[in-house]
Amino acid sequence: GELGLTNSGTAPVKLQVRVFRWVQQDGQEQLLPTEDLLATPPMQELAAGQQQLVRVMRPDNLPPDAPQYFRLIVDEVPDLARRASGMQFVLRYSIPVFILPPSPGRLKPQLQARLVRLDDGRDGVEVRNSGTAHAQIADLALGSADRPRIVHPGLLGYVLPGQVMRWPLERTAIDRDNDQISAKLNGAPKQTPLPPTPAR
């Protein structure tokens, strides 16, 4: 595949492109070194208004037996020559990359969710995926199916197959016994109820 980068600013920028294997463990995201997916060129300098294509490729062209998950990280490299002039903001983009087997239609996520108390004391949600495909979760809502109350608008995150993820919720006085959890999955326009996970 190809990734297009554009410098829409008025000064040149230096960029670094790296690829990591994307895994989830103990409710947290982890990025691990990998050589199963490559990005070239890994470093470049873009003049103002310049565009650059980054090629993303697999050394092994054989189709995978199971889905593979990666993150493409694009970092703006700080310009040390400008550091003395004041605060400098640099950007980072984290782009998910999915490599699927030849018949991905047979793969489906199977989700369960429950409200939990996180290790830091905040209220949160735990989503378990016992299916065979990833799930993108957006517009997380609590309440009845006909009148859901969205408590996290927009993208919440992904749950990879066979994994569990936990996220904090900015809401107090959560009724853990009666609130139905629902979300928009993989870009669907409507809420999908998530059945409860058995308490542990």
Side-chain angles (χ1 to χ4, degrees):
E2 293 180 340
L3 173 70
L5 302 175
T6 302
N7 179 8
S8 59
T10 58
V13 294
K14 295 179 180 178
L15 300 175
Q16 180 183 28
V17 183
R18 295 173 294 165
V19 181
F20 295 91
R21 182 170 289 279
W22 175 22
V23 300
Q24 296 172 337
Q25 187 173 7
D26 298 327
Q28 302 291 327
E29 307 271 12
Q30 292 190 19
L31 300 180
L32 305 178
T34 184
E35 295 182 357
D36 294 333
L37 194 68
L38 305 174
T40 182
M43 294 285 294
Q44 56 246 305
E45 181 171 345
L46 298 184
Q50 182 181 355
Q51 297 181 346
Q52 171 72 50
L53 282 181
V54 175
R55 299 187 184 278
V56 183
M57 63 195 78
R58 297 175 61 222
D60 182 1
N61 287 326
L62 295 176
D65 296 330
Q68 297 177 354
Y69 300 96
F70 301 88
R71 282 272 179 180
L72 191 67
I73 306 296
V74 182
D75 284 309
E76 183 181 354
V77 179
D79 185 351
L80 299 181
R82 296 170 53 199
R83 177 182 290 180
S85 63
M87 187 176 296
Q88 182 179 1
F89 293 95
V90 293
L91 298 177
R92 163 173 284 191
Y93 297 94
S94 177
I95 303 164
V97 179
F98 308 104
I99 299 178
L100 302 179
S103 300
R106 296 178 298 175
L107 304 176
K108 295 182 188 279
Q110 185 174 348
L111 304 182
Q112 294 177 307
R114 66 186 183 114
L115 299 171
V116 295
R117 184 61 59 94
L118 302 177
D119 292 340
D120 60 7
R122 290 185 292 174
D123 287 320
V125 63
E126 176 185 277
V127 182
R128 180 180 302 271
N129 184 359
S130 57
T132 54
H134 67 275
Q136 181 201 63
I137 300 173
D139 288 346
L140 188 83
L142 302 177
S144 61
D146 56 339
R147 298 188 65 184
R149 303 183 307 277
I150 294 179
V151 295
H152 192 290
L155 177 65
L156 180 66
Y158 291 82
V159 186
L160 301 183
Q163 299 300 321
V164 177
M165 283 295 294
R166 301 178 190 93
W167 294 277
L169 293 180
E170 300 302 326
R171 179 174 181 260
T172 58
I174 287 179
D175 185 345
R176 288 180 171 77
D177 296 326
N178 299 319
D179 266 323
Q180 167 69 54
I181 302 173
S182 63
K184 294 178 181 175
L185 304 180
N186 293 330
K190 295 183 179 180
Q191 298 287 127
T192 297
L194 304 181
T197 303
R200 289 179 292 147

